[in-house]
Amino acid sequence: MDGEYDIFMGDQVVGTARVERQGLYYRFHCRCRLSGDTICRVTVTCGGCQESLGILVPRSGQFETWAKVAVKKLGQGTFRFRVLPRHSAMQEKFICVYPEEPFAYLSRLK
């Protein structure tokens, strides 16, 4: 599993991830070429498990992140890396409920 892997944004390769196994952990170093307009994070998927590797930060004209993840968290399989926006769009409307204020639609909450 040690080696270099492509990092995808959609179907486009935007960077590389270097993986090194160190005992019970994988150490990841990810580098991407991004515009910098949106804060992005890198995720790794392996064996049906997904783990966030962190926010990409600017360094030397590219964006990078480093992470260390327990081997047992990722399981067996092939690594697949993706760049995602920091916050994905919310599917539902968020409504704040305060304990000191009445909320007329409490019966509608699921």
Side-chain angles (χ1 to χ4, degrees):
M1 295 238 189
D2 289 3
E4 287 204 14
Y5 298 84
D6 290 332
I7 301 175
F8 291 88
M9 179 180 266
D11 59 354
Q12 181 181 5
V13 175
V14 294
T16 58
R18 192 171 6 153
V19 181
E20 181 182 340
R21 182 160 180 177
Q22 295 179 339
L24 298 175
Y25 293 89
Y26 288 118
R27 181 175 293 281
F28 298 95
H29 179 210
C30 303
R31 285 185 175 182
C32 295
R33 297 169 305 281
L34 301 171
S35 65
D37 295 338
T38 305
I39 296 174
C40 294
R41 62 184 165 90
V42 176
T43 62
V44 60
T45 305
C46 181
C49 299
Q50 182 174 324
E51 190 71 26
S52 175
L53 299 180
I55 301 292
L56 290 157
V57 295
R59 182 171 180 200
S60 304
Q62 293 185 347
F63 288 82
E64 298 184 15
T65 191
W66 298 263
K68 193 174 180 181
V69 177
V71 171
K72 70 179 184 179
K73 275 190 161 183
L74 292 176
Q76 299 293 322
T78 305
F79 291 126
R80 175 133 172 98
F81 295 88
R82 293 188 308 151
V83 172
L84 301 171
R86 181 176 172 202
H87 298 290
S88 27
M90 293 181 67
Q91 300 282 337
E92 300 174 5
K93 186 175 180 180
F94 180 78
I95 300 171
C96 291
V97 178
Y98 301 99
E100 61 276 352
E101 295 178 15
F103 185 70
Y105 300 100
L106 191 59
S107 61
R108 291 186 179 177
L109 294 178
K110 295 181 182 177

